[in-house]
Amino acid sequence: MDTRGTQPGSFEELMLVHRTGSARQAADMIAAFAGRDVPGLPTIGDGHRGQQVLDATARAAREGGWSPCP
């Protein structure tokens, strides 16, 4: 990312990165809502897999041992 000569770690750099990131996130959301493919954007399948891992982790903690993750 081009930080336009801002001092690394400065408030100015933070604000630049925030504005750029927010604009990119908004563009990705609009594209996704319009049904366009957005490379690198998590899918429903990614979320489902993540939830399976969380469920297995909670089960393992509750039962005090390893729990399989489908």
Side-chain angles (χ1 to χ4, degrees):
M1 165 186 244
D2 177 16
T3 56
R4 301 178 192 158
T6 58
Q7 179 70 29
S10 68
F11 180 75
E12 290 79 15
E13 182 189 45
L14 172 66
M15 291 294 94
L16 178 65
V17 169
H18 177 71
R19 279 193 307 272
T20 303
S22 295
R24 183 170 294 155
Q25 182 181 27
D28 287 348
M29 288 173 62
I30 291 168
F33 292 151
R36 294 191 303 271
D37 184 42
V38 181
L41 202 64
T43 65
I44 295 294
D46 295 331
H48 181 251
R49 180 67 179 149
Q51 188 60 55
Q52 288 178 314
V53 172
L54 292 172
D55 290 346
T57 302
R59 196 168 41 253
R62 187 175 54 252
E63 296 171 3
W66 289 96
S67 180
C69 184

PDB file of all heavy atoms in Angstrom, residues 23-47:
ATOM      1  N   ALA A  23     -12.850   2.131   2.244  1.00  0.00           N
ATOM      2  CA  ALA A  23     -13.325   2.266   0.863  1.00  0.00           C
ATOM      3  C   ALA A  23     -13.292   0.916   0.151  1.00  0.00           C
ATOM      4  O   ALA A  23     -14.233   0.564  -0.571  1.00  0.00           O
ATOM      5  CB  ALA A  23     -12.469   3.284   0.116  1.00  0.00           C
ATOM      6  N   ARG A  24     -12.234   0.160   0.365  1.00  0.00           N
ATOM      7  CA  ARG A  24     -12.126  -1.158  -0.278  1.00  0.00           C
ATOM      8  C   ARG A  24     -13.206  -2.103   0.259  1.00  0.00           C
ATOM      9  O   ARG A  24     -13.834  -2.849  -0.493  1.00  0.00           O
ATOM     10  CB  ARG A  24     -10.738  -1.749  -0.025  1.00  0.00           C
ATOM     11  CG  ARG A  24     -10.553  -3.080  -0.738  1.00  0.00           C
ATOM     12  CD  ARG A  24      -9.131  -3.541  -0.696  1.00  0.00           C
ATOM     13  NE  ARG A  24      -8.323  -2.607  -1.476  1.00  0.00           N
ATOM     14  CZ  ARG A  24      -7.025  -2.419  -1.286  1.00  0.00           C
ATOM     15  NH1 ARG A  24      -6.386  -3.079  -0.347  1.00  0.00           N
ATOM     16  NH2 ARG A  24      -6.358  -1.573  -2.031  1.00  0.00           N
ATOM     17  N   GLN A  25     -13.433  -2.061   1.576  1.00  0.00           N
ATOM     18  CA  GLN A  25     -14.457  -2.924   2.163  1.00  0.00           C
ATOM     19  C   GLN A  25     -15.837  -2.573   1.603  1.00  0.00           C
ATOM     20  O   GLN A  25     -16.616  -3.463   1.260  1.00  0.00           O
ATOM     21  CB  GLN A  25     -14.462  -2.790   3.685  1.00  0.00           C
ATOM     22  CG  GLN A  25     -15.474  -3.685   4.359  1.00  0.00           C
ATOM     23  CD  GLN A  25     -15.479  -3.517   5.860  1.00  0.00           C
ATOM     24  OE1 GLN A  25     -15.128  -2.463   6.387  1.00  0.00           O
ATOM     25  NE2 GLN A  25     -15.870  -4.553   6.562  1.00  0.00           N
ATOM     26  N   ALA A  26     -16.141  -1.290   1.488  1.00  0.00           N
ATOM     27  CA  ALA A  26     -17.439  -0.876   0.950  1.00  0.00           C
ATOM     28  C   ALA A  26     -17.595  -1.338  -0.495  1.00  0.00           C
ATOM     29  O   ALA A  26     -18.663  -1.835  -0.885  1.00  0.00           O
ATOM     30  CB  ALA A  26     -17.584   0.645   1.050  1.00  0.00           C
ATOM     31  N   ALA A  27     -16.544  -1.195  -1.294  1.00  0.00           N
ATOM     32  CA  ALA A  27     -16.602  -1.636  -2.692  1.00  0.00           C
ATOM     33  C   ALA A  27     -16.819  -3.148  -2.780  1.00  0.00           C
ATOM     34  O   ALA A  27     -17.606  -3.622  -3.615  1.00  0.00           O
ATOM     35  CB  ALA A  27     -15.327  -1.235  -3.426  1.00  0.00           C
ATOM     36  N   ASP A  28     -16.148  -3.900  -1.915  1.00  0.00           N
ATOM     37  CA  ASP A  28     -16.324  -5.362  -1.909  1.00  0.00           C
ATOM     38  C   ASP A  28     -17.753  -5.732  -1.510  1.00  0.00           C
ATOM     39  O   ASP A  28     -18.349  -6.646  -2.086  1.00  0.00           O
ATOM     40  CB  ASP A  28     -15.334  -6.029  -0.943  1.00  0.00           C
ATOM     41  CG  ASP A  28     -13.913  -6.044  -1.464  1.00  0.00           C
ATOM     42  OD1 ASP A  28     -13.695  -5.744  -2.663  1.00  0.00           O
ATOM     43  OD2 ASP A  28     -13.003  -6.364  -0.664  1.00  0.00           O
ATOM     44  N   MET A  29     -18.298  -5.042  -0.519  1.00  0.00           N
ATOM     45  CA  MET A  29     -19.665  -5.344  -0.080  1.00  0.00           C
ATOM     46  C   MET A  29     -20.665  -5.054  -1.188  1.00  0.00           C
ATOM     47  O   MET A  29     -21.578  -5.853  -1.442  1.00  0.00           O
ATOM     48  CB  MET A  29     -20.003  -4.529   1.175  1.00  0.00           C
ATOM     49  CG  MET A  29     -19.283  -5.006   2.411  1.00  0.00           C
ATOM     50  SD  MET A  29     -19.530  -3.927   3.837  1.00  0.00           S
ATOM     51  CE  MET A  29     -21.276  -4.050   4.080  1.00  0.00           C
ATOM     52  N   ILE A  30     -20.504  -3.927  -1.859  1.00  0.00           N
ATOM     53  CA  ILE A  30     -21.417  -3.580  -2.949  1.00  0.00           C
ATOM     54  C   ILE A  30     -21.329  -4.612  -4.065  1.00  0.00           C
ATOM     55  O   ILE A  30     -22.354  -5.063  -4.592  1.00  0.00           O
ATOM     56  CB  ILE A  30     -21.110  -2.159  -3.471  1.00  0.00           C
ATOM     57  CG1 ILE A  30     -21.504  -1.138  -2.397  1.00  0.00           C
ATOM     58  CG2 ILE A  30     -21.823  -1.889  -4.787  1.00  0.00           C
ATOM     59  CD1 ILE A  30     -20.997   0.258  -2.652  1.00  0.00           C
ATOM     60  N   ALA A  31     -20.118  -5.035  -4.403  1.00  0.00           N
ATOM     61  CA  ALA A  31     -19.934  -6.051  -5.445  1.00  0.00           C
ATOM     62  C   ALA A  31     -20.574  -7.377  -5.030  1.00  0.00           C
ATOM     63  O   ALA A  31     -21.245  -8.031  -5.835  1.00  0.00           O
ATOM     64  CB  ALA A  31     -18.447  -6.246  -5.739  1.00  0.00           C
ATOM     65  N   ALA A  32     -20.374  -7.763  -3.786  1.00  0.00           N
ATOM     66  CA  ALA A  32     -20.951  -9.030  -3.303  1.00  0.00           C
ATOM     67  C   ALA A  32     -22.476  -8.973  -3.308  1.00  0.00           C
ATOM     68  O   ALA A  32     -23.141  -9.919  -3.729  1.00  0.00           O
ATOM     69  CB  ALA A  32     -20.437  -9.346  -1.906  1.00  0.00           C
ATOM     70  N   PHE A  33     -23.046  -7.848  -2.861  1.00  0.00           N
ATOM     71  CA  PHE A  33     -24.509  -7.710  -2.858  1.00  0.00           C
ATOM     72  C   PHE A  33     -25.071  -7.718  -4.270  1.00  0.00           C
ATOM     73  O   PHE A  33     -26.203  -8.141  -4.490  1.00  0.00           O
ATOM     74  CB  PHE A  33     -24.930  -6.429  -2.139  1.00  0.00           C
ATOM     75  CG  PHE A  33     -24.666  -6.443  -0.663  1.00  0.00           C
ATOM     76  CD1 PHE A  33     -24.423  -5.258   0.014  1.00  0.00           C
ATOM     77  CD2 PHE A  33     -24.653  -7.622   0.068  1.00  0.00           C
ATOM     78  CE1 PHE A  33     -24.182  -5.246   1.381  1.00  0.00           C
ATOM     79  CE2 PHE A  33     -24.404  -7.623   1.428  1.00  0.00           C
ATOM     80  CZ  PHE A  33     -24.174  -6.441   2.088  1.00  0.00           C
ATOM     81  N   ALA A  34     -24.263  -7.263  -5.229  1.00  0.00           N
ATOM     82  CA  ALA A  34     -24.691  -7.257  -6.627  1.00  0.00           C
ATOM     83  C   ALA A  34     -24.508  -8.619  -7.285  1.00  0.00           C
ATOM     84  O   ALA A  34     -24.835  -8.794  -8.451  1.00  0.00           O
ATOM     85  CB  ALA A  34     -23.907  -6.199  -7.406  1.00  0.00           C
ATOM     86  N   GLY A  35     -23.955  -9.579  -6.535  1.00  0.00           N
ATOM     87  CA  GLY A  35     -23.788 -10.928  -7.054  1.00  0.00           C
ATOM     88  C   GLY A  35     -22.499 -11.158  -7.814  1.00  0.00           C
ATOM     89  O   GLY A  35     -22.339 -12.188  -8.447  1.00  0.00           O
ATOM     90  N   ARG A  36     -21.584 -10.195  -7.756  1.00  0.00           N
ATOM     91  CA  ARG A  36     -20.300 -10.362  -8.447  1.00  0.00           C
ATOM     92  C   ARG A  36     -19.318 -11.104  -7.551  1.00  0.00           C
ATOM     93  O   ARG A  36     -19.370 -10.992  -6.326  1.00  0.00           O
ATOM     94  CB  ARG A  36     -19.729  -8.996  -8.845  1.00  0.00           C
ATOM     95  CG  ARG A  36     -20.591  -8.304  -9.889  1.00  0.00           C
ATOM     96  CD  ARG A  36     -19.923  -7.083 -10.484  1.00  0.00           C
ATOM     97  NE  ARG A  36     -19.540  -6.076  -9.522  1.00  0.00           N
ATOM     98  CZ  ARG A  36     -20.318  -5.075  -9.108  1.00  0.00           C
ATOM     99  NH1 ARG A  36     -21.555  -4.976  -9.557  1.00  0.00           N
ATOM    100  NH2 ARG A  36     -19.874  -4.187  -8.247  1.00  0.00           N
ATOM    101  N   ASP A  37     -18.423 -11.860  -8.165  1.00  0.00           N
ATOM    102  CA  ASP A  37     -17.393 -12.588  -7.434  1.00  0.00           C
ATOM    103  C   ASP A  37     -16.334 -11.603  -6.945  1.00  0.00           C
ATOM    104  O   ASP A  37     -15.862 -10.763  -7.694  1.00  0.00           O
ATOM    105  CB  ASP A  37     -16.752 -13.639  -8.339  1.00  0.00           C
ATOM    106  CG  ASP A  37     -15.733 -14.482  -7.601  1.00  0.00           C
ATOM    107  OD1 ASP A  37     -16.003 -14.875  -6.457  1.00  0.00           O
ATOM    108  OD2 ASP A  37     -14.659 -14.733  -8.181  1.00  0.00           O
ATOM    109  N   VAL A  38     -15.989 -11.706  -5.670  1.00  0.00           N
ATOM    110  CA  VAL A  38     -14.958 -10.850  -5.090  1.00  0.00           C
ATOM    111  C   VAL A  38     -13.841 -11.763  -4.589  1.00  0.00           C
ATOM    112  O   VAL A  38     -14.012 -12.457  -3.578  1.00  0.00           O
ATOM    113  CB  VAL A  38     -15.521 -10.000  -3.926  1.00  0.00           C
ATOM    114  CG1 VAL A  38     -14.442  -9.099  -3.369  1.00  0.00           C
ATOM    115  CG2 VAL A  38     -16.723  -9.190  -4.387  1.00  0.00           C
ATOM    116  N   PRO A  39     -12.704 -11.803  -5.288  1.00  0.00           N
ATOM    117  CA  PRO A  39     -11.602 -12.677  -4.878  1.00  0.00           C
ATOM    118  C   PRO A  39     -11.157 -12.367  -3.445  1.00  0.00           C
ATOM    119  O   PRO A  39     -11.036 -11.207  -3.054  1.00  0.00           O
ATOM    120  CB  PRO A  39     -10.483 -12.344  -5.863  1.00  0.00           C
ATOM    121  CG  PRO A  39     -11.164 -11.736  -7.044  1.00  0.00           C
ATOM    122  CD  PRO A  39     -12.368 -11.033  -6.493  1.00  0.00           C
ATOM    123  N   GLY A  40     -10.967 -13.427  -2.674  1.00  0.00           N
ATOM    124  CA  GLY A  40     -10.490 -13.279  -1.305  1.00  0.00           C
ATOM    125  C   GLY A  40     -11.573 -13.038  -0.279  1.00  0.00           C
ATOM    126  O   GLY A  40     -11.309 -13.031   0.919  1.00  0.00           O
ATOM    127  N   LEU A  41     -12.802 -12.820  -0.708  1.00  0.00           N
ATOM    128  CA  LEU A  41     -13.896 -12.595   0.226  1.00  0.00           C
ATOM    129  C   LEU A  41     -14.366 -13.941   0.778  1.00  0.00           C
ATOM    130  O   LEU A  41     -14.547 -14.886   0.014  1.00  0.00           O
ATOM    131  CB  LEU A  41     -15.047 -11.890  -0.510  1.00  0.00           C
ATOM    132  CG  LEU A  41     -16.045 -11.120   0.324  1.00  0.00           C
ATOM    133  CD1 LEU A  41     -15.359  -9.952   1.020  1.00  0.00           C
ATOM    134  CD2 LEU A  41     -17.158 -10.601  -0.564  1.00  0.00           C
ATOM    135  N   PRO A  42     -14.541 -14.060   2.094  1.00  0.00           N
ATOM    136  CA  PRO A  42     -14.999 -15.338   2.652  1.00  0.00           C
ATOM    137  C   PRO A  42     -16.382 -15.711   2.108  1.00  0.00           C
ATOM    138  O   PRO A  42     -17.209 -14.844   1.839  1.00  0.00           O
ATOM    139  CB  PRO A  42     -15.080 -15.077   4.157  1.00  0.00           C
ATOM    140  CG  PRO A  42     -14.316 -13.832   4.397  1.00  0.00           C
ATOM    141  CD  PRO A  42     -14.325 -13.057   3.124  1.00  0.00           C
ATOM    142  N   THR A  43     -16.602 -17.001   1.980  1.00  0.00           N
ATOM    143  CA  THR A  43     -17.885 -17.500   1.489  1.00  0.00           C
ATOM    144  C   THR A  43     -18.717 -18.024   2.652  1.00  0.00           C
ATOM    145  O   THR A  43     -18.229 -18.148   3.778  1.00  0.00           O
ATOM    146  CB  THR A  43     -17.666 -18.660   0.497  1.00  0.00           C
ATOM    147  OG1 THR A  43     -17.068 -19.756   1.218  1.00  0.00           O
ATOM    148  CG2 THR A  43     -16.769 -18.249  -0.666  1.00  0.00           C
ATOM    149  N   ILE A  44     -19.956 -18.349   2.377  1.00  0.00           N
ATOM    150  CA  ILE A  44     -20.808 -18.982   3.388  1.00  0.00           C
ATOM    151  C   ILE A  44     -20.166 -20.300   3.820  1.00  0.00           C
ATOM    152  O   ILE A  44     -20.174 -20.650   4.994  1.00  0.00           O
ATOM    153  CB  ILE A  44     -22.225 -19.231   2.835  1.00  0.00           C
ATOM    154  CG1 ILE A  44     -22.925 -17.906   2.547  1.00  0.00           C
ATOM    155  CG2 ILE A  44     -23.043 -20.093   3.779  1.00  0.00           C
ATOM    156  CD1 ILE A  44     -23.213 -17.068   3.774  1.00  0.00           C
ATOM    157  N   GLY A  45     -19.578 -21.021   2.867  1.00  0.00           N
ATOM    158  CA  GLY A  45     -18.884 -22.271   3.196  1.00  0.00           C
ATOM    159  C   GLY A  45     -17.726 -22.051   4.155  1.00  0.00           C
ATOM    160  O   GLY A  45     -17.497 -22.851   5.058  1.00  0.00           O
ATOM    161  N   ASP A  46     -16.990 -20.953   3.968  1.00  0.00           N
ATOM    162  CA  ASP A  46     -15.898 -20.624   4.894  1.00  0.00           C
ATOM    163  C   ASP A  46     -16.442 -20.401   6.299  1.00  0.00           C
ATOM    164  O   ASP A  46     -15.878 -20.865   7.288  1.00  0.00           O
ATOM    165  CB  ASP A  46     -15.160 -19.361   4.431  1.00  0.00           C
ATOM    166  CG  ASP A  46     -14.433 -19.537   3.115  1.00  0.00           C
ATOM    167  OD1 ASP A  46     -14.007 -20.666   2.806  1.00  0.00           O
ATOM    168  OD2 ASP A  46     -14.277 -18.525   2.396  1.00  0.00           O
ATOM    169  N   GLY A  47     -17.542 -19.665   6.375  1.00  0.00           N
ATOM    170  CA  GLY A  47     -18.159 -19.409   7.681  1.00  0.00           C
ATOM    171  C   GLY A  47     -18.654 -20.692   8.334  1.00  0.00           C
ATOM    172  O   GLY A  47     -18.504 -20.892   9.546  1.00  0.00           O
TER     173      GLY A  47
END
